[in-house]
Amino acid sequence: MSAAAGHGDPYRLGRDAAPHERRHTAEHGQRALAAKRIIVGYGFWIFLLSDIVMFSCFFASYAVLVHATAGGPDTRQLFDVDRVAIETACLLASSFTCGLAFVASGRRSAALFYLSMTATLALGAAFIALEVVEFVSLAA
């Protein structure tokens, strides 16, 4: 049971296997990559569906509780709804431009990558500036 006799590889990594057995090991590796790709795909869809469920709960809660203030201030009195809409648009647009940067990096287009990342930075800075102004106004 020595490594030279081909029995010293209990995990079948193929380091001490005969040449005809190595082909099967490489074939097994290709099947493992396909399985990993499928698992990652399912993981992405599970993540996406969990976000859909979570945001559906947020929207349903808002729809039910929007007018249930018990005599307190409502949404329009607490927040500037137009500013919140602009902040949301900045976040969504920055996600889109970040996706464009990813596509540009895959195509090896430096100009589009830098343009997309600059737009992402500008939109992120606009979001942060709007948040700071909102927090200062809430504190006042």
Side-chain angles (χ1 to χ4, degrees):
M1 298 227 302
S2 69
H7 300 289
D9 191 6
Y11 299 107
R12 302 196 195 303
L13 296 175
R15 293 202 169 105
D16 61 348
H20 67 280
E21 292 176 4
R22 287 189 187 131
R23 282 183 296 198
H24 297 297
T25 304
E27 204 173 89
H28 175 72
Q30 289 174 352
R31 281 183 279 163
L33 288 177
K36 183 178 179 182
R37 191 177 320 136
I38 290 169
I39 290 170
V40 169
Y42 282 131
F44 170 75
W45 284 107
I46 289 170
F47 166 74
L48 194 61
L49 290 172
S50 69
D51 274 3
I52 290 170
V53 169
M54 183 178 65
F55 279 99
S56 297
C57 290
F58 288 156
F59 289 133
S61 298
Y62 178 78
V64 170
L65 299 173
V66 68
H67 297 295
T69 61
D74 65 352
T75 306
R76 295 221 178 250
Q77 292 171 335
L78 291 175
F79 306 108
D80 182 7
V81 179
D82 295 332
R83 184 184 302 148
V84 171
I86 294 170
E87 291 170 355
T88 303
C90 285
L91 283 179
L92 289 174
S94 70
S95 296
F96 176 72
T97 57
C98 194
L100 284 178
F102 176 74
V103 170
S105 70
R107 292 186 177 180
R108 306 231 184 257
S109 173
L112 182 59
F113 175 79
Y114 287 121
L115 180 69
S116 300
M117 289 308 288
T118 302
T120 303
L121 177 69
L123 289 165
F127 171 77
I128 290 174
L130 288 168
E131 280 293 317
V132 168
V133 168
E134 183 177 8
F135 288 144
V136 167
S137 68
L138 284 174

